[in-house]
Amino acid sequence: MEIDTILFDFDGTLVNTNPLIISSFEHVLDSYYPGRYSREDIIGFIGTPLPENFRSIDPDRAEEMIRMYQQFTLDHHDAMLEEYEGVTETIQRLHEQGFHLAVVTTKRKETALMGLEASGLAPYFPTVITLADVERAKPDPEPLERAMAAFGSKPGKTMMVGDSKYDILAGKNAGVRTAGVAWTIKGEEHLQSYEPDIMLQTMPGILSYLGVKQV
């Protein structure tokens, strides 16, 4: 069955926000717990909703830690975003070909929209599902189901693309096809262990998979 709807994670999939995320965590954790958390520990937090991460660290101070994280992110957002090669051209091509495109992210609405604007990708994504739009985040299928509902799309014609196990598991739970991205900060082998239907080495690879000619 042909794919007509593609759902994308944002951080680490469409745009390299990993330097910003890591720096934001370091800013907070070095303030509260100097020297306790390594870069590897922080990478382990990526992909999980922010409130869940900070509540696991310190339930009593989670809210103030979240506020500090969010302020650092806002202050450094645009300067620390990095593009992944071929993403913009690929998204433009998919849009031109009439695919339904949505972002499904565990980010807050404010920072998700800010990221889409800063990266120039906002015009191609009429639907953006964030943590504020759902009761249950990925790997629950709810965010993906909300995105599909916005287009009237069916799971059998939908694909989820992401850099984290939560993206792949959410896709499987929603009954859609799944694509991992080899540029995941967790490492391609780690993501492959969750058995996505395909592993994209570059974003333009999705065009070949879907039978869309590159221009």
Side-chain angles (χ1 to χ4, degrees):
M1 193 175 289
E2 290 186 4
I3 297 293
D4 62 17
T5 302
I6 311 172
L7 315 178
F8 292 89
D9 177 55
F10 187 75
D11 291 321
T13 300
L14 291 173
V15 176
N16 185 7
T17 51
N18 291 320
L20 176 62
I21 292 170
I22 291 168
S23 294
S24 299
F25 269 114
E26 286 175 341
H27 174 69
V28 176
L29 295 175
D30 287 348
S31 297
Y32 283 85
Y33 304 103
R36 184 183 299 186
Y37 290 91
S38 68
R39 177 183 171 87
E40 287 68 33
D41 293 328
I42 289 170
I43 288 173
F45 293 137
I46 294 176
T48 306
L50 203 59
E52 191 175 320
N53 282 322
F54 283 119
R55 285 176 194 139
S56 72
I57 293 169
D58 188 339
D60 294 332
R61 295 193 289 182
E63 293 306 317
E64 62 188 74
M65 293 166 82
I66 290 169
R67 286 194 295 272
M68 180 183 285
Y69 177 103
Q70 291 171 340
Q71 188 59 54
F72 184 93
T73 297
L74 290 174
D75 290 345
H76 298 86
H77 185 275
D78 290 6
M80 296 188 73
L81 286 191
E82 298 177 4
E83 293 185 15
Y84 287 122
E85 186 176 354
V87 167
T88 299
E89 297 84 351
T90 300
I91 298 302
Q92 287 173 338
R93 187 77 178 124
L94 293 170
H95 177 75
E96 289 167 1
Q97 292 296 304
F99 286 89
H100 299 304
L101 305 178
V103 165
V104 179
T105 176
T106 55
K107 292 173 79 72
R108 291 189 307 146
K109 179 77 78 176
E110 180 185 10
T111 47
L113 296 178
M114 184 184 300
L116 283 166
E117 289 292 342
S119 62
L121 295 172
Y124 309 112
F125 290 100
T127 295
V128 180
I129 304 298
T130 68
L131 200 56
D133 300 310
V134 297
E135 293 185 8
R136 297 173 300 280
K138 296 177 291 187
D140 192 276
E142 183 190 354
L144 283 67
E145 290 168 351
R146 283 187 174 270
M148 287 187 283
F151 298 118
S153 301
K154 303 294 185 186
K157 290 191 173 187
T158 300
M159 169 175 275
M160 177 72 210
V161 182
D163 70 316
S164 130
K165 66 180 181 181
Y166 301 109
D167 300 313
I168 306 306
L169 294 173
K172 291 178 182 293
N173 290 336
V176 308
R177 221 170 297 182
T178 55
V181 299
W183 53 93
T184 170
I185 196 170
K186 303 288 182 74
E188 180 181 355
E189 186 177 348
H190 169 80
L191 193 57
Q192 186 63 56
S193 71
Y194 292 91
E195 301 182 340
D197 293 302
I198 60 166
M199 182 67 72
L200 299 173
Q201 296 302 314
T202 63
M203 190 59 86
I206 197 171
L207 298 176
S208 302
Y209 180 78
L210 297 170
V212 176
K213 288 184 179 180
Q214 299 186 43
V215 292

